[in-house]
Structure formats: structure tokens, C-alpha cells
Amino acid sequence: MGMRHWRYAAPSMGLALVLAGCATHRAPVAEATKAPPAPPIVDKADIPLSAKAATLSQIWHMRVALNVAALACRGPGSSALVAGYNRMLHKRDALLAMAQEAAYADYGGRSKSNGYDSAMTRLYNHYAQPFAQADFCTTAQRVQRAEEKIAEASYRQFVAAALDDLDAPFAAPPPLRPAVTKATRAATPARHARKRRRR
């Protein structure tokens, strides 16, 4: 599945050339001006498109994130997430195949897949961190719903924005457990001892 390219139709110059040939005196020729840039593509999705385009490897990273979500997320909306993820695999199969090859190439190709395997394991573990799962699953559901609405021409801009959203729940460090000090450990048996004496 190749990326579509927008084609701009140049205005016909045939009539202008005919009129210029019939004129007795040549009018000064105006310098050609560049056409104004095309407006940014906007899709009807609840994730604004990024101004930057994702690489093929980043498309594969988004697939990994949604794969983790489809496997790990439970509760309301999880069935729809799994079904949507499977639809994405079917709809974007050619693009995802190219994305995987690009990810392999980042680590020397399929013949040197050890680096790739290690990197993917770290990536899966990143998205499976328990402390952020609630927010991550909510975000993954939103990304999956938006992904289905995205036109192929703006898919890379979508992926760049979606990855930022999918990584956001993991930006904050997990809450620290209260430190157990020597004083805390020493006080615990004393409390138990007082309770035993009262009995």
C-alpha cells in the first residue's frame, strides 16, 4: 500500500498562447509566481495531526503500542479495541510490512535480528508498565478509534501525534513507596509486644 500523493492540476495555458500569437504588439510577460502552499490536511479525528511526519520505524512503534493495549487492556471498550486493532492490521498490511522492514533495518536487517528482538522487548515492556496502564489503555482506545478515520495521505502526521499521546502516560515516574527506616522496623515489634502484654 503506497502513500498517496496529492496531484495539482496546472491551469491550461492554451487559450493564453493563442491570444498572445494574434496580438500585434507583444504585451510584457509577467514573471511566473509560485502557487500558494496547499493548506494542511485535516482529518476528522479527535487527535490533531502533527506538523511532522513519522518515520516508517515509528509507524511500527505505534503498532507495538496498540498491540500491547489489545493484549493487556481490560474493561469497558477493550473488545472494541481488539477488533479495531485487527482491522488496522488488515487495512494497513502493506504499510505495516514496510514499517517492520524499516525497524529491522535500524538494527542491521533480519540477519542481525538480535538487536531488533532486544529493542522490541524493551518497547513492549515500556508500554506494559503497570503504573500507567489505566491512562495508557484509555489513550490507546482513543488512538485506535482515530486511526480508522485517517486518510492514507496524512497517516504519518497522525502517527507522529499518536505516539506523543501514547507515550504521555509513562512520562511521569511511578509513585515511590514509603521508605522503611530502621526506626520503623524497630517500632513494629514493640507495638506487637505491647499488644501481647495487654492480652
Side-chain angles (χ1 to χ4, degrees), residues 56-144:
L56 282 171
S57 296
Q58 288 173 323
I59 292 175
W60 188 249
H61 287 188
M62 187 190 74
R63 188 212 67 89
V64 169
L66 294 180
N67 187 16
V68 172
L71 292 171
C73 296
R74 297 292 180 267
S78 59
S79 297
L81 173 62
V82 172
Y85 172 75
N86 288 329
R87 286 192 299 272
M88 181 190 74
L89 295 183
H90 177 72
K91 180 180 179 180
R92 316 280 186 186
D93 57 345
L95 177 60
L96 291 174
M98 290 190 296
Q100 186 178 29
E101 289 302 321
Y104 271 119
D106 289 343
Y107 298 95
R110 286 180 177 269
S111 61
K112 299 178 181 179
S113 62
N114 288 338
Y116 169 86
D117 292 341
S118 299
M120 290 302 107
T121 298
R122 290 193 298 271
L123 192 59
Y124 273 90
N125 289 341
H126 167 72
Y127 288 118
Q129 293 179 85
F131 80 91
Q133 284 305 289
D135 288 343
F136 171 66
C137 289
T138 300
T139 302
Q141 291 175 11
R142 185 165 55 90
V143 168
Q144 183 278 313

Side-chain angles (χ1 to χ4, degrees), residues 172-190:
L176 297 175
R177 294 181 180 179
V180 178
T181 63
K182 290 183 179 180
T184 305
R185 287 195 295 269
T188 302

Side-chain angles (χ1 to χ4, degrees), residues 130-179:
F131 80 91
Q133 284 305 289
D135 288 343
F136 171 66
C137 289
T138 300
T139 302
Q141 291 175 11
R142 185 165 55 90
V143 168
Q144 183 278 313
R145 291 193 301 269
E147 191 274 341
E148 294 198 272
K149 308 172 188 176
I150 297 300
E152 193 172 350
S154 51
Y155 197 74
R156 293 195 185 204
Q157 285 80 9
F158 166 77
V159 171
L163 278 177
D164 288 343
D165 283 8
L166 289 166
D167 283 333
F170 304 96
L176 297 175
R177 294 181 180 179

